[in-house]
mmCIF file of all heavy atoms in Angstrom:
data_model
loop_
_atom_site.group_PDB
_atom_site.id
_atom_site.type_symbol
_atom_site.label_atom_id
_atom_site.label_comp_id
_atom_site.label_asym_id
_atom_site.label_seq_id
_atom_site.Cartn_x
_atom_site.Cartn_y
_atom_site.Cartn_z
ATOM 1 N N LYS A 19 6.678 -0.251 -3.843
ATOM 2 C CA LYS A 19 7.883 -0.586 -4.595
ATOM 3 C C LYS A 19 7.898 0.213 -5.886
ATOM 4 O O LYS A 19 7.021 0.072 -6.738
ATOM 5 C CB LYS A 19 7.957 -2.063 -4.904
ATOM 6 C CG LYS A 19 9.359 -2.432 -5.426
ATOM 7 C CD LYS A 19 9.341 -3.193 -6.697
ATOM 8 C CE LYS A 19 10.724 -3.216 -7.341
ATOM 9 N NZ LYS A 19 10.711 -3.915 -8.616
ATOM 10 N N LEU A 20 8.876 1.105 -5.991
ATOM 11 C CA LEU A 20 9.022 1.901 -7.204
ATOM 12 C C LEU A 20 9.911 1.099 -8.146
ATOM 13 O O LEU A 20 11.111 0.927 -7.929
ATOM 14 C CB LEU A 20 9.656 3.258 -6.879
ATOM 15 C CG LEU A 20 8.877 4.120 -5.876
ATOM 16 C CD1 LEU A 20 9.599 5.434 -5.608
ATOM 17 C CD2 LEU A 20 7.446 4.380 -6.399
ATOM 18 N N GLY A 21 9.309 0.600 -9.206
ATOM 19 C CA GLY A 21 10.002 -0.288 -10.130
ATOM 20 C C GLY A 21 11.165 0.401 -10.822
ATOM 21 O O GLY A 21 11.128 1.602 -11.105
ATOM 22 N N GLY A 22 12.179 -0.387 -11.096
ATOM 23 C CA GLY A 22 13.329 0.115 -11.843
ATOM 24 C C GLY A 22 12.911 0.639 -13.222
ATOM 25 O O GLY A 22 13.557 1.529 -13.783
ATOM 26 N N SER A 23 11.812 0.071 -13.750
ATOM 27 C CA SER A 23 11.351 0.495 -15.075
ATOM 28 C C SER A 23 10.728 1.876 -15.028
ATOM 29 O O SER A 23 10.534 2.510 -16.073
ATOM 30 C CB SER A 23 10.348 -0.512 -15.606
ATOM 31 O OG SER A 23 9.240 -0.600 -14.743
ATOM 32 N N VAL A 24 10.425 2.371 -13.831
ATOM 33 C CA VAL A 24 9.829 3.706 -13.715
ATOM 34 C C VAL A 24 10.893 4.734 -13.332
ATOM 35 O O VAL A 24 11.030 5.765 -13.975
ATOM 36 C CB VAL A 24 8.696 3.705 -12.645
ATOM 37 C CG1 VAL A 24 8.162 5.104 -12.414
ATOM 38 C CG2 VAL A 24 7.590 2.744 -13.064
ATOM 39 N N LYS A 28 15.534 1.822 -18.285
ATOM 40 C CA LYS A 28 16.136 0.485 -18.258
ATOM 41 C C LYS A 28 16.991 0.212 -19.499
ATOM 42 O O LYS A 28 17.784 -0.722 -19.500
ATOM 43 C CB LYS A 28 15.064 -0.591 -18.112
ATOM 44 C CG LYS A 28 14.712 -0.877 -16.646
ATOM 45 C CD LYS A 28 13.893 -2.171 -16.549
ATOM 46 C CE LYS A 28 13.857 -2.726 -15.124
ATOM 47 N NZ LYS A 28 13.136 -3.993 -15.027
ATOM 48 N N GLY A 62 13.505 -0.520 -7.086
ATOM 49 C CA GLY A 62 14.026 -1.566 -7.956
ATOM 50 C C GLY A 62 15.388 -1.158 -8.509
ATOM 51 O O GLY A 62 15.776 -0.001 -8.435
ATOM 52 N N GLY A 63 16.097 -2.120 -9.072
ATOM 53 C CA GLY A 63 17.468 -1.881 -9.521
ATOM 54 C C GLY A 63 17.587 -1.135 -10.843
ATOM 55 O O GLY A 63 18.538 -0.365 -11.060
ATOM 56 N N GLY A 64 16.604 -1.343 -11.737
ATOM 57 C CA GLY A 64 16.618 -0.677 -13.018
ATOM 58 C C GLY A 64 17.964 -0.675 -13.699
ATOM 59 O O GLY A 64 18.695 -1.670 -13.637
ATOM 60 N N HIS A 68 20.692 -3.616 -11.984
ATOM 61 C CA HIS A 68 20.586 -4.707 -12.957
ATOM 62 C C HIS A 68 21.702 -4.658 -13.979
ATOM 63 O O HIS A 68 22.258 -5.694 -14.361
ATOM 64 C CB HIS A 68 19.232 -4.683 -13.667
ATOM 65 C CG HIS A 68 18.104 -5.111 -12.779
ATOM 66 N ND1 HIS A 68 18.084 -6.347 -12.167
ATOM 67 C CD2 HIS A 68 16.985 -4.473 -12.364
ATOM 68 C CE1 HIS A 68 16.976 -6.452 -11.442
ATOM 69 N NE2 HIS A 68 16.302 -5.320 -11.533
ATOM 70 N N ASP A 162 11.390 -6.602 -5.160
ATOM 71 C CA ASP A 162 10.072 -7.248 -5.197
ATOM 72 C C ASP A 162 9.780 -7.978 -3.889
ATOM 73 O O ASP A 162 8.697 -7.838 -3.327
ATOM 74 C CB ASP A 162 9.998 -8.243 -6.365
ATOM 75 C CG ASP A 162 10.043 -7.539 -7.713
ATOM 76 O OD1 ASP A 162 9.722 -6.322 -7.758
ATOM 77 O OD2 ASP A 162 10.405 -8.176 -8.699
ATOM 78 N N TYR A 179 2.976 -2.210 -6.299
ATOM 79 C CA TYR A 179 4.053 -2.373 -7.255
ATOM 80 C C TYR A 179 3.853 -1.302 -8.331
ATOM 81 O O TYR A 179 2.937 -1.391 -9.155
ATOM 82 C CB TYR A 179 4.022 -3.757 -7.902
ATOM 83 C CG TYR A 179 4.610 -4.874 -7.077
ATOM 84 C CD1 TYR A 179 3.936 -6.085 -6.933
ATOM 85 C CD2 TYR A 179 5.851 -4.736 -6.450
ATOM 86 C CE1 TYR A 179 4.472 -7.118 -6.185
ATOM 87 C CE2 TYR A 179 6.393 -5.776 -5.707
ATOM 88 C CZ TYR A 179 5.697 -6.950 -5.580
ATOM 89 O OH TYR A 179 6.223 -7.984 -4.847
ATOM 90 N N VAL A 180 4.708 -0.301 -8.303
ATOM 91 C CA VAL A 180 4.624 0.779 -9.293
ATOM 92 C C VAL A 180 5.563 0.415 -10.437
ATOM 93 O O VAL A 180 6.780 0.452 -10.290
ATOM 94 C CB VAL A 180 5.007 2.129 -8.657
ATOM 95 C CG1 VAL A 180 4.909 3.245 -9.690
ATOM 96 C CG2 VAL A 180 4.106 2.424 -7.460
ATOM 97 N N SER A 181 4.961 0.007 -11.540
ATOM 98 C CA SER A 181 5.755 -0.547 -12.645
ATOM 99 C C SER A 181 5.495 0.247 -13.923
ATOM 100 O O SER A 181 4.926 1.334 -13.872
ATOM 101 C CB SER A 181 5.391 -2.026 -12.801
ATOM 102 O OG SER A 181 6.257 -2.642 -13.715
ATOM 103 N N ASP A 182 5.899 -0.302 -15.056
ATOM 104 C CA ASP A 182 5.742 0.424 -16.323
ATOM 105 C C ASP A 182 4.641 -0.167 -17.192
ATOM 106 O O ASP A 182 4.576 0.059 -18.384
ATOM 107 C CB ASP A 182 7.059 0.451 -17.098
ATOM 108 C CG ASP A 182 7.467 -0.943 -17.589
ATOM 109 O OD1 ASP A 182 6.977 -1.943 -17.022
ATOM 110 O OD2 ASP A 182 8.288 -1.032 -18.524
ATOM 111 N N VAL A 183 3.780 -0.958 -16.573
ATOM 112 C CA VAL A 183 2.621 -1.508 -17.274
ATOM 113 C C VAL A 183 1.352 -1.139 -16.477
ATOM 114 O O VAL A 183 1.434 -0.833 -15.291
ATOM 115 C CB VAL A 183 2.711 -3.042 -17.420
ATOM 116 C CG1 VAL A 183 3.677 -3.426 -18.519
ATOM 117 C CG2 VAL A 183 3.109 -3.704 -16.112
ATOM 118 N N GLY A 185 -0.875 -2.878 -15.347
ATOM 119 C CA GLY A 185 -1.226 -3.878 -14.335
ATOM 120 C C GLY A 185 -0.803 -5.224 -14.882
ATOM 121 O O GLY A 185 0.139 -5.300 -15.662
ATOM 122 N N ILE A 186 -1.534 -6.253 -14.482
ATOM 123 C CA ILE A 186 -1.205 -7.599 -14.976
ATOM 124 C C ILE A 186 -2.147 -7.943 -16.117
ATOM 125 O O ILE A 186 -3.379 -7.790 -16.006
ATOM 126 C CB ILE A 186 -1.328 -8.638 -13.841
ATOM 127 C CG1 ILE A 186 -0.307 -8.286 -12.750
ATOM 128 C CG2 ILE A 186 -1.079 -10.044 -14.379
ATOM 129 C CD1 ILE A 186 -0.398 -9.160 -11.515
ATOM 130 N N TYR A 187 -1.572 -8.354 -17.212
ATOM 131 C CA TYR A 187 -2.355 -8.724 -18.388
ATOM 132 C C TYR A 187 -2.616 -10.222 -18.401
ATOM 133 O O TYR A 187 -1.730 -11.020 -18.127
ATOM 134 C CB TYR A 187 -1.615 -8.318 -19.659
ATOM 135 C CG TYR A 187 -1.392 -6.830 -19.746
ATOM 136 C CD1 TYR A 187 -0.136 -6.278 -19.502
ATOM 137 C CD2 TYR A 187 -2.446 -5.972 -20.066
ATOM 138 C CE1 TYR A 187 0.064 -4.907 -19.565
ATOM 139 C CE2 TYR A 187 -2.250 -4.598 -20.132
ATOM 140 C CZ TYR A 187 -0.982 -4.072 -19.879
ATOM 141 O OH TYR A 187 -0.784 -2.733 -19.931
ATOM 142 N N GLY A 188 -3.842 -10.562 -18.742
ATOM 143 C CA GLY A 188 -4.199 -11.961 -18.874
ATOM 144 C C GLY A 188 -3.898 -12.461 -20.283
ATOM 145 O O GLY A 188 -3.334 -11.740 -21.094
ATOM 146 N N LEU A 205 -0.752 -18.028 -14.987
ATOM 147 C CA LEU A 205 -0.719 -17.346 -16.290
ATOM 148 C C LEU A 205 0.541 -17.730 -17.056
ATOM 149 O O LEU A 205 1.659 -17.403 -16.664
ATOM 150 C CB LEU A 205 -0.714 -15.834 -16.087
ATOM 151 C CG LEU A 205 -2.045 -15.120 -16.090
ATOM 152 C CD1 LEU A 205 -1.825 -13.624 -15.819
ATOM 153 C CD2 LEU A 205 -2.775 -15.323 -17.390
ATOM 154 N N SER A 207 1.745 -16.689 -19.752
ATOM 155 C CA SER A 207 2.477 -15.626 -20.430
ATOM 156 C C SER A 207 3.368 -14.841 -19.486
ATOM 157 O O SER A 207 4.062 -13.909 -19.880
ATOM 158 C CB SER A 207 1.496 -14.669 -21.072
ATOM 159 O OG SER A 207 0.684 -14.097 -20.084
ATOM 160 N N LEU A 208 3.346 -15.221 -18.218
ATOM 161 C CA LEU A 208 3.903 -14.393 -17.157
ATOM 162 C C LEU A 208 5.271 -13.791 -17.424
ATOM 163 O O LEU A 208 5.472 -12.584 -17.316
ATOM 164 C CB LEU A 208 3.943 -15.193 -15.868
ATOM 165 C CG LEU A 208 3.635 -14.396 -14.628
ATOM 166 C CD1 LEU A 208 2.320 -13.671 -14.795
ATOM 167 C CD2 LEU A 208 3.557 -15.308 -13.441
ATOM 168 N N SER A 209 6.234 -14.617 -17.737
ATOM 169 C CA SER A 209 7.592 -14.066 -17.832
ATOM 170 C C SER A 209 8.012 -13.828 -19.266
ATOM 171 O O SER A 209 9.171 -13.610 -19.558
ATOM 172 C CB SER A 209 8.569 -15.016 -17.142
ATOM 173 O OG SER A 209 8.374 -16.303 -17.635
ATOM 174 N N SER A 210 7.031 -13.842 -20.172
ATOM 175 C CA SER A 210 7.419 -13.773 -21.588
ATOM 176 C C SER A 210 7.712 -12.361 -22.085
ATOM 177 O O SER A 210 8.424 -12.190 -23.059
ATOM 178 C CB SER A 210 6.323 -14.399 -22.439
ATOM 179 O OG SER A 210 5.112 -13.756 -22.189
ATOM 180 N N ARG A 211 7.131 -11.351 -21.416
ATOM 181 C CA ARG A 211 7.354 -9.989 -21.893
ATOM 182 C C ARG A 211 8.332 -9.263 -20.984
ATOM 183 O O ARG A 211 8.019 -8.898 -19.877
ATOM 184 C CB ARG A 211 6.039 -9.219 -21.966
ATOM 185 C CG ARG A 211 5.093 -9.803 -22.984
ATOM 186 C CD ARG A 211 3.721 -9.160 -22.859
ATOM 187 N NE ARG A 211 3.782 -7.712 -23.056
ATOM 188 C CZ ARG A 211 3.207 -6.827 -22.259
ATOM 189 N NH1 ARG A 211 2.553 -7.227 -21.213
ATOM 190 N NH2 ARG A 211 3.286 -5.548 -22.507
ATOM 191 N N GLN A 212 9.538 -9.094 -21.470
ATOM 192 C CA GLN A 212 10.583 -8.467 -20.679
ATOM 193 C C GLN A 212 11.142 -7.270 -21.453
ATOM 194 O O GLN A 212 11.215 -7.317 -22.667
ATOM 195 C CB GLN A 212 11.736 -9.419 -20.408
ATOM 196 C CG GLN A 212 11.362 -10.533 -19.484
ATOM 197 C CD GLN A 212 11.267 -10.032 -18.040
ATOM 198 O OE1 GLN A 212 11.863 -9.030 -17.690
ATOM 199 N NE2 GLN A 212 10.519 -10.743 -17.245
ATOM 200 N N SER A 213 11.530 -6.220 -20.745
ATOM 201 C CA SER A 213 12.184 -5.128 -21.456
ATOM 202 C C SER A 213 13.448 -4.711 -20.701
ATOM 203 O O SER A 213 13.450 -4.644 -19.483
ATOM 204 C CB SER A 213 11.239 -3.937 -21.602
ATOM 205 O OG SER A 213 10.936 -3.425 -20.352
ATOM 206 N N TYR A 215 17.181 -4.600 -19.037
ATOM 207 C CA TYR A 215 17.853 -5.531 -18.127
ATOM 208 C C TYR A 215 17.001 -5.798 -16.905
ATOM 209 O O TYR A 215 16.529 -4.904 -16.265
ATOM 210 C CB TYR A 215 19.142 -4.891 -17.630
ATOM 211 C CG TYR A 215 20.215 -4.742 -18.680
ATOM 212 C CD1 TYR A 215 20.372 -3.565 -19.379
ATOM 213 C CD2 TYR A 215 21.098 -5.796 -18.933
ATOM 214 C CE1 TYR A 215 21.367 -3.409 -20.328
ATOM 215 C CE2 TYR A 215 22.091 -5.655 -19.878
ATOM 216 C CZ TYR A 215 22.218 -4.468 -20.567
ATOM 217 O OH TYR A 215 23.212 -4.319 -21.489
ATOM 218 N N ASP A 216 16.777 -7.032 -16.570
ATOM 219 C CA ASP A 216 16.194 -7.361 -15.287
ATOM 220 C C ASP A 216 16.745 -8.714 -14.859
ATOM 221 O O ASP A 216 16.230 -9.748 -15.275
ATOM 222 C CB ASP A 216 14.670 -7.375 -15.325
ATOM 223 C CG ASP A 216 14.074 -7.325 -13.940
ATOM 224 O OD1 ASP A 216 14.663 -7.955 -13.033
ATOM 225 O OD2 ASP A 216 13.043 -6.666 -13.726
ATOM 226 N N THR A 218 16.444 -10.152 -12.198
ATOM 227 C CA THR A 218 15.590 -10.925 -11.279
ATOM 228 C C THR A 218 14.228 -11.255 -11.873
ATOM 229 O O THR A 218 13.333 -11.682 -11.154
ATOM 230 C CB THR A 218 15.429 -10.201 -9.920
ATOM 231 O OG1 THR A 218 14.968 -8.882 -10.158
ATOM 232 C CG2 THR A 218 16.742 -10.153 -9.168
ATOM 233 N N GLY A 219 14.048 -11.024 -13.178
ATOM 234 C CA GLY A 219 12.925 -11.680 -13.856
ATOM 235 C C GLY A 219 11.525 -11.111 -13.758
ATOM 236 O O GLY A 219 10.595 -11.831 -13.479
ATOM 237 N N GLY A 220 11.359 -9.818 -14.052
ATOM 238 C CA GLY A 220 10.048 -9.211 -14.338
ATOM 239 C C GLY A 220 8.904 -9.610 -13.411
ATOM 240 O O GLY A 220 9.070 -9.724 -12.202
ATOM 241 N N LEU A 221 7.734 -9.828 -14.023
ATOM 242 C CA LEU A 221 6.551 -10.072 -13.247
ATOM 243 C C LEU A 221 6.569 -11.411 -12.513
ATOM 244 O O LEU A 221 6.035 -11.538 -11.402
ATOM 245 C CB LEU A 221 5.338 -9.995 -14.166
ATOM 246 C CG LEU A 221 4.010 -9.931 -13.450
ATOM 247 C CD1 LEU A 221 3.869 -8.618 -12.701
ATOM 248 C CD2 LEU A 221 2.870 -10.114 -14.421
ATOM 249 N N ALA A 222 7.168 -12.409 -13.103
ATOM 250 C CA ALA A 222 7.204 -13.735 -12.495
ATOM 251 C C ALA A 222 7.827 -13.650 -11.096
ATOM 252 O O ALA A 222 7.372 -14.282 -10.137
ATOM 253 C CB ALA A 222 7.967 -14.714 -13.377
ATOM 254 N N LYS A 224 7.811 -11.092 -9.115
ATOM 255 C CA LYS A 224 6.885 -10.444 -8.187
ATOM 256 C C LYS A 224 5.891 -11.461 -7.621
ATOM 257 O O LYS A 224 5.608 -11.465 -6.433
ATOM 258 C CB LYS A 224 6.122 -9.318 -8.899
ATOM 259 C CG LYS A 224 6.991 -8.122 -9.232
ATOM 260 C CD LYS A 224 6.204 -7.095 -10.001
ATOM 261 C CE LYS A 224 7.042 -5.892 -10.357
ATOM 262 N NZ LYS A 224 8.365 -6.171 -10.913
ATOM 263 N N VAL A 241 -0.866 -3.553 -8.704
ATOM 264 C CA VAL A 241 0.134 -3.277 -9.728
ATOM 265 C C VAL A 241 -0.417 -2.073 -10.512
ATOM 266 O O VAL A 241 -1.535 -2.138 -11.047
ATOM 267 C CB VAL A 241 0.360 -4.474 -10.683
ATOM 268 C CG1 VAL A 241 1.435 -4.131 -11.707
ATOM 269 C CG2 VAL A 241 0.740 -5.720 -9.888
HETATM 270 N N1 ADP B 330 1.242 -10.859 -17.797
HETATM 271 C C1 ADP B 330 1.966 -9.750 -17.643
HETATM 272 N N2 ADP B 330 1.363 -8.574 -17.276
HETATM 273 C C2 ADP B 330 2.086 -7.463 -17.077
HETATM 274 N N3 ADP B 330 3.425 -7.411 -17.237
HETATM 275 C C3 ADP B 330 4.097 -8.524 -17.583
HETATM 276 C C4 ADP B 330 3.404 -9.738 -17.807
HETATM 277 N N4 ADP B 330 4.332 -10.690 -18.108
HETATM 278 C C5 ADP B 330 5.520 -10.095 -18.096
HETATM 279 N N5 ADP B 330 5.432 -8.780 -17.772
HETATM 280 C C6 ADP B 330 6.551 -7.873 -17.697
HETATM 281 O O1 ADP B 330 6.843 -7.528 -16.352
HETATM 282 C C7 ADP B 330 7.405 -6.250 -16.375
HETATM 283 C C8 ADP B 330 7.333 -5.666 -14.987
HETATM 284 O O2 ADP B 330 8.381 -6.221 -14.224
HETATM 285 P P1 ADP B 330 9.754 -5.479 -14.017
HETATM 286 O O3 ADP B 330 10.379 -5.146 -15.317
HETATM 287 O O4 ADP B 330 10.530 -6.288 -13.042
HETATM 288 O O5 ADP B 330 9.247 -4.124 -13.394
HETATM 289 P P2 ADP B 330 9.968 -3.192 -12.354
HETATM 290 O O6 ADP B 330 11.445 -3.324 -12.538
HETATM 291 O O7 ADP B 330 9.443 -1.863 -12.755
HETATM 292 O O8 ADP B 330 9.482 -3.617 -11.027
HETATM 293 C C9 ADP B 330 6.588 -5.497 -17.374
HETATM 294 O O9 ADP B 330 7.278 -4.413 -17.934
HETATM 295 C C10 ADP B 330 6.314 -6.557 -18.414
HETATM 296 O O10 ADP B 330 7.260 -6.461 -19.479
#
Side-chain angles (χ1 to χ4, degrees):
K19 192 231 166 182
L20 301 179
S23 60
V24 175
K28 273 194 163 182
H68 287 302
D162 293 338
Y179 280 133
V180 180
S181 189
D182 67 340
V183 283
I186 298 175
Y187 299 104
L205 269 178
S207 61
L208 217 54
S209 51
S210 56
R211 295 171 59 228
Q212 291 286 337
S213 65
Y215 291 95
D216 196 323
T218 53
L221 192 68
K224 291 177 180 45
V241 182

